[in-house]
Amino acid sequence: MARFIFITGGVVSSLGKGLASAALGALLQSRGFSVRLRKLDPYLNVDPGTMSPFEHGEVYVTDDGAETDLDLGHYERFTGVAARRTDSVSSGRIYSNVLEKERRGDYLGKTIQVIPHVTNEIKDFIRIGEDEVDFMLCEIGGTVGDIEGLPFFEAIRQFAQDKPRGECIFMHLTLLPYLRASGELKTKPTQHSVKELRAIGIAPDVLVCRSEVEIPEKEREKIALFCNVRKEAVIAAPDLRSIYEAPLAYHREGLDQAVLDAFRISPAPRPDLSRWEDVMDRLEHTDGEVRVAIVGKYTQLEDAYKSIAEALTHGGMANRVRVKAEWIDAEIFEREDPSPWLENFDAILVPGGFGERGTEGKIRAAQWAREHKIPYLGICLGMQMAVIEAARNVAGLRDAGSEEFDHEAGKKRFTPVVYHLKEWIQGSHKVERRPEDDKGGTMRLGAYPAKLKPGSKVAEIYGTTEIEERHRHRYEVDMSYRDKLESVGLIFSGMSPDGKLPEIVEWKDHPWFIGVQFHPELKSRPFEPHPLFRDFIRAAKETSRLV
Ligand code: GLN
């Protein structure tokens, strides 16, 4: 039976609750416990799949095909535990389940209310798989006091009440603002935030306080006294050089000990932190730097490509180089010659994306990488653009394009080298889609196997010919152009097991040019960098040594 840790936040948003949860998960693992992390989000979208990356950051896809919050990416990167559909829920999903049950007649005769119907639905969700792990960590999105968060706070309060004493604890993250003029750390916002939490029946056991300076002993005592937590359970969360320092930093501050004390687990198993010490060693002791240009659309918000940025860092760690990633708006290359921009980089990455805007610029970036023999990694849309580039500029199909852009524009302008996929095989059954289907959750989503061509570059990089990677796309490269493209040197080196869907392309006569229909970045971990990112950065390192 799992013990539950509920993680909430107060004072301001973006305090790094997801990171603190992920780091705590890693620390509990380092003491030999098994963990699972969950995110409960108060917004009304059923899932973040239809939200703009500008607003919500990246959509993180799980093996079982759920489109989830990017915090699940942190959880996976820190614990290595593959997230599932049941590790992420929103108010929208909860309400939609409740309303579906109401229509079905499951509550016949009853008036449906937030308490108990919505809160019960939330509690049932939290309980899923509770027998499987030692600790279940549930992070509540947003901050205490938000109107839409209330049902979640009420549900976790009830949940702890339903369980025997000592099986649930509450950890609350707050901010201690530092007033530079007077040189003081202010504790009042934290006191108010805890007061707010206690007003809805939740008393935190552990307080994690973000502050830019160290918390003096006197202030720690004051927080403990006014917030009714033990002094040792007031944990400082200082600003970090790298997010991967979080497990070691939180351990130094006593977070895992405070949590185990709150559960009265004594004596606590000793932690083995060697994994995180190695990660930090690789980050801090590097030999040189490589520069990677990310040519994309959602360049204003770094979180839009969170997993790619992290996977590049992991690739750097594997090669002991610093990776300097720079985001370039693809639309620039529709007006300007890419050379002056791209000459300064050792490798080019074109990430995934939706819609036509910026795609001509991405095609030019792919062309530039091919012609200048600079390492290129195309992910999802980045692979599709590389294939269109090959079709147009090498195979002579001048009007090659993607059906996605014709659909968007409402008219036919291109030869659809990339077409709308309408049926495919998932496991043992056939999935079918129509163009008019809902936009939410209807893509080819989640983990699919692929077979790699023996002797290809990717087979060498992966060290195997059978892989499984996560997908999130609606369109696909049309295999009727395969012979034409292969005759000019673009190899289809990865295919779905039935041989119908192309998963990977690579240029034969190029030092490193690979396009993948899936998202390798989602499976990269700091302690286990993804093979494609590891080798991409190795190739970039080689380019950097040439010039
Ligand atoms: N828009 C493209 C498709 O739906 C690519 C998606 C992506 O890059 N994730 O196929």
Side-chain angles (χ1 to χ4, degrees), residues 350-355 362 379-385 402 404-405 418-421 443-444 471-477 516-519 521:
V350 175
F354 293 84
K362 293 176 190 176
I379 295 178
C380 209
L381 187 69
M383 167 204 182
Q384 297 172 356
M385 295 307 103
S402 169
E404 177 173 8
F405 315 145
V418 177
Y419 70 104
H420 187 200
L421 184 67
M443 281 182 270
R444 183 169 175 241
H471 293 65
R472 181 173 185 249
H473 58 110
R474 206 168 261 122
Y475 296 84
E476 193 90 35
V477 173
V516 293
Q517 186 56 76
F518 46 81
H519 290 276
E521 72 275 19

Side-chain angles (χ1 to χ4, degrees), residues 214-261:
E214 274 197 26
I215 308 178
E217 204 50 25
K218 212 167 79 292
E219 248 59 342
R220 200 184 289 266
E221 277 166 12
K222 189 167 158 192
I223 296 168
L225 180 67
F226 282 93
C227 298
N228 200 32
V229 281
R230 297 155 58 95
K231 201 177 84 192
E232 302 73 40
V234 178
I235 307 295
D239 296 340
L240 303 173
R241 282 163 298 168
S242 153
I243 56 168
Y244 297 116
E245 203 192 339
L248 295 177
Y250 274 124
H251 177 69
R252 265 195 312 271
E253 296 294 335
L255 176 63
D256 42 336
Q257 190 59 55
V259 165
L260 295 174
D261 285 348

